[in-house]
């Protein structure tokens, strides 16, 4: 079958890989000159099934007010006259119950665990390398209340059989020796030993090269302007390189996915939530993290990527605005400067932002639509790197008419009614 994948972020490229493996004739189209130049470019680098959880949870509305008022707070809302923004925020609130949280988290962990296993298999099969490490991730708590609040997550992880450890200060230092220098700054941590780390941009580019070897055609630098429907099917995509057609289509346009679906009468609650990162060269190995340390107070992830430290975080609800705001960088500088003061050279750091394609229930939208040949693979929010291989494989299985290895019915857009 001829399949056109719209989008060459990590999700589009992973979809293309598994579709090509399943024997399809695949073309990928994207407006950027190369794969992974938008949200998949400089994320925090965590492949973290254990940390897979929706942002919407019990107690979050109260915490959100605190975060909005905090210096270096992890959340900023810039209200706009955009109905999609307000509807999405109302849907987030509706997901802040214990019952919804448990359903959403279990669903996310299922996909993320599957995805991490596929990533390992892909490494073994292809030898792909991307500054990866398999040394777990550590959520670091500065306050005792944060440590106590992990009990619920621990229970869900235990049910799903995901290994995890609650650590005291010494335990955290055993996992991340550089933290010995700042032991007075934290009270404990929660470690997920099976989590991994790696550079998503590097991975996507190398996977795209493997795809090209398998015959996948990449049409980079092509803007998709609109999609056309005929007789309950997608007829093709109007682009600035002409009208592109295929037997089936996978829409993987990240935060921009709802914009092309809306004129077709298809509505998915995916909204952009801006995040920022800095990437600094390591100047002292012993003072740098060995894996990811998630500074829970500021919701900032500090990750070792080869000879660099990547620091990512903050959630700015501001529509499609890509302004790089110095105040947001100050939060990242503050967190890494506090926990790993001598690890990296912040004066040489690069500064970046990207739009997380967020759903209100944290779960991506993967599966069929009411148009018989249009499939979605989008809405991966905070965890697109973690969930990429699993999402790509699931969409390839669905399009190929094969039963997927994990349950997929509750990942499709039909869950929104
Ligand atoms: C600060 C930050 C930290 C993060 N940290 C992590 C992390 O540690 N772990 C993790 O798992 N995830 C993380 N994420 C989330 C992860 O980066 C995203 O979920 C993932 O990159 C989304 O991939 P995507 O392929 O869906 O979107 P994108 O990478 O944005 O790809 C979409 C593609 O569609 C193309 N496109 C859009 N519109 C058009 C059009 N009209 N015509 C042609 N092409 C178009 C774009 O050019 C782009 O290449 C983080 C995100 C941010 C912002």
């Amino acid at each position: 079958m001829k399949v056109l994948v719209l989008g060459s972020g990590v999700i589009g490229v992973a979809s293309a890989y598994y579709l090509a493996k399943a024997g399809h004739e695949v073309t990928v189209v994207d407006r950027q000159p190369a794969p992974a130049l938008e949200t998949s470019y400089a994320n925090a680098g965590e492949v973290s099934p254990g940390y897979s959880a929706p942002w919407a949870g019990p107690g979050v509305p109260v915490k959100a007010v605190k975060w909005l008022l905090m210096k270096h707070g992890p959340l900023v809302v810039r209200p706009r006259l955009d109905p999609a923004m307000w509807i999405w925020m109302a849907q987030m609130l509706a997901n802040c119950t214990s019952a919804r949280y448990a359903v959403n988290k279990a669903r996310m962990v299922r996909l993320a665990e599957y995805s991490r296993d596929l990533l390992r298999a892909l490494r073994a099969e292809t030898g792909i390398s991307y500054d990866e490490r398999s040394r777990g991730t550590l959520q670091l708590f500065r306050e005792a209340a944060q440590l106590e609040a992990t009990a619920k997550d621990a229970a869900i992880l235990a049910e799903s059989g995901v290994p995890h450890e609650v650590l005291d200060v010494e335990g955290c230092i055993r996992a991340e020796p550089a933290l010995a220098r700042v032991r007075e700054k934290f009270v404990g941590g929660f470690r997920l030993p099976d989590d991994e780390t790696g550079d998503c941009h590097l991975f996507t580019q190398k996977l795209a090269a493997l795809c090209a070897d398998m015959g996948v055609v990449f049409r980079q630098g092509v803007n998709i302007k609109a999609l056309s429907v005929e007789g309950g099917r997608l007829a093709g995509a109007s682009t600035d390189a002409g009208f592109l057609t295929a037997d089936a289509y996978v829409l993987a346009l990240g935060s921009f996915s709802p914009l092309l679906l809306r004129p077709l009468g298809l509505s998915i609650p995916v909204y952009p939530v801006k995040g920022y990162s800095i990437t600094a060269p390591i100047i002292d190995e012993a003072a740098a993290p060995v894996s990811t340390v998630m500074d829970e107070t500021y919701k900032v992830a500090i990750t070792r990527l080869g000879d660099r430290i990547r620091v990512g975080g903050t959630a700015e609800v501001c529509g499609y605005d890509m302004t790089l705001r110095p105040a947001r960088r100050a939060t990242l500088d503050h967190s890494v400067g506090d926990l790993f003061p001598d690890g990296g050279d912040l004066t040489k750091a690069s500064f970046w932002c990207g739009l997380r394609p967020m759903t209100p229930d944290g779960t991506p939208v993967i599966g069929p639509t009411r148009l018989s040949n249009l499939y979605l693979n989008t809405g991966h929010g905070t965890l697109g790197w973690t969930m990429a291989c699993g999402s790509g494989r699931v969409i390839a299985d669905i399009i190929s008419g094969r039963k997927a290895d994990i349950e997929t019915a509750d990942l499709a857009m039909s869950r929104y009614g």
Side-chain angles (χ1 to χ4, degrees):
M1 202 191 303
K2 279 190 181 168
V3 187
L4 187 63
V5 177
L6 310 174
S8 69
V10 69
I11 301 299
V13 173
S15 305
Y17 176 76
Y18 288 103
L19 282 162
K21 258 193 116 179
H24 298 289
E25 200 181 307
V26 185
T27 300
V28 182
V29 57
D30 195 294
R31 62 186 169 199
Q32 295 291 345
L37 291 182
E38 295 206 2
T39 310
S40 304
Y41 183 67
N43 66 30
E46 285 180 273
V47 176
S48 182
Y51 202 60
S52 294
W55 278 1
V60 166
V62 175
K63 279 191 212 160
V65 174
K66 186 181 128 197
W67 290 333
L68 287 169
L69 300 173
M70 217 173 121
K71 188 178 179 204
H72 299 309
L75 176 68
V76 176
V77 178
R78 300 187 195 282
R80 300 170 82 90
L81 288 173
D82 175 7
M85 176 190 263
W86 297 101
I87 292 168
W88 180 84
M89 288 206 285
Q91 289 169 322
M92 283 288 276
L93 275 179
N95 274 284
C96 286
T97 63
S98 300
R100 289 307 317 155
Y101 182 81
V103 170
N104 295 337
K105 179 165 173 88
R107 209 158 50 186
M108 293 171 76
V109 170
R110 183 207 312 150
L111 177 60
E113 285 269 307
Y114 177 56
S115 196
R116 194 264 332 275
D117 293 347
L118 286 178
L119 180 61
R120 287 179 178 165
L122 180 71
R123 271 203 312 263
E125 212 175 297
T126 64
I128 190 169
S129 64
Y130 44 90
D131 278 343
E132 74 279 9
R133 286 191 166 202
S134 304
R135 303 194 51 174
T137 55
L138 175 67
Q139 196 179 1
L140 198 70
F141 304 122
R142 294 170 186 260
E143 294 162 24
Q146 294 170 328
L147 196 55
E148 284 152 25
T150 58
K152 257 191 220 129
D153 279 352
I156 296 176
L157 292 178
E159 253 173 52
S160 320
V162 179
H164 53 278
E165 303 161 352
V166 178
L167 300 177
D168 59 11
V169 170
E170 292 310 318
C172 293
I173 291 170
R174 269 195 302 280
E176 285 287 349
L179 290 175
R181 301 161 187 233
V182 293
R183 63 173 67 234
E184 71 291 351
K185 303 262 167 125
F186 56 94
V187 298
F190 190 71
R191 184 163 180 268
L192 297 154
D194 273 5
D195 282 0
E196 301 191 349
T197 52
D199 186 328
C200 179
H201 171 239
L202 202 55
F203 170 84
T204 311
Q205 292 218 321
K206 290 202 177 174
L207 190 63
L210 288 173
C211 286
D213 290 345
M214 292 160 77
V216 175
V217 174
F218 284 84
R219 301 198 58 177
Q220 300 291 152
V222 174
N223 187 37
I224 305 159
K225 295 189 275 199
L227 303 174
S228 315
V229 177
E230 235 174 66
R233 291 170 62 79
L234 204 67
S238 305
T239 75
D240 51 17
F243 192 66
L244 305 182
T245 60
D247 303 312
Y249 301 80
V250 176
L251 187 125
L253 297 172
S255 291
F256 296 84
S257 304
L259 305 186
L260 279 168
L261 291 174
R262 213 170 284 154
L264 312 182
L266 293 174
S267 165
I268 52 166
V270 171
Y271 198 76
V273 175
K274 187 160 58 159
Y276 295 82
S277 74
I278 53 172
T279 307
I282 289 177
I283 44 174
D284 180 355
E285 290 258 339
V290 296
S291 187
T292 289
V293 171
M294 165 58 86
D295 184 350
E296 181 60 19
T297 302
Y298 303 109
K299 302 266 182 207
V300 167
I302 306 167
T303 300
R304 170 71 167 268
L305 292 176
D307 56 5
R308 299 161 295 153
I309 302 176
R310 170 75 47 77
V311 188
T314 81
E316 200 174 288
V317 186
C318 58
Y320 291 87
D321 170 10
M322 289 289 283
T323 313
L324 275 170
R325 294 182 191 274
R328 301 286 94 215
R329 177 177 173 151
T331 301
L332 305 176
D333 285 349
H334 172 73
S335 174
V336 68
D338 208 38
L339 296 177
F340 298 97
D342 309 313
D345 184 350
L346 295 187
T347 63
K348 297 208 174 99
S350 54
F351 186 33
W352 171 87
C353 71
L355 300 174
R356 301 178 185 92
M358 294 281 293
T359 60
D361 53 4
T363 312
V365 188
I366 307 173
T369 65
R370 65 173 165 70
L371 301 178
S372 59
N373 60 347
L374 173 63
Y375 300 85
L376 306 184
N377 200 357
T378 188
H380 291 76
T382 54
L383 289 158
W385 173 208
T386 300
M387 294 177 172
C389 290
S391 305
R393 174 64 194 265
V394 159
I395 207 68
D397 283 343
I398 293 172
I399 291 174
S400 308
R402 290 193 309 224
K403 189 173 165 7
D405 296 330
I406 57 166
E407 193 193 325
T408 59
D410 56 357
L411 306 178
M413 70 177 288
S414 54
R415 73 176 184 271
Y416 296 116

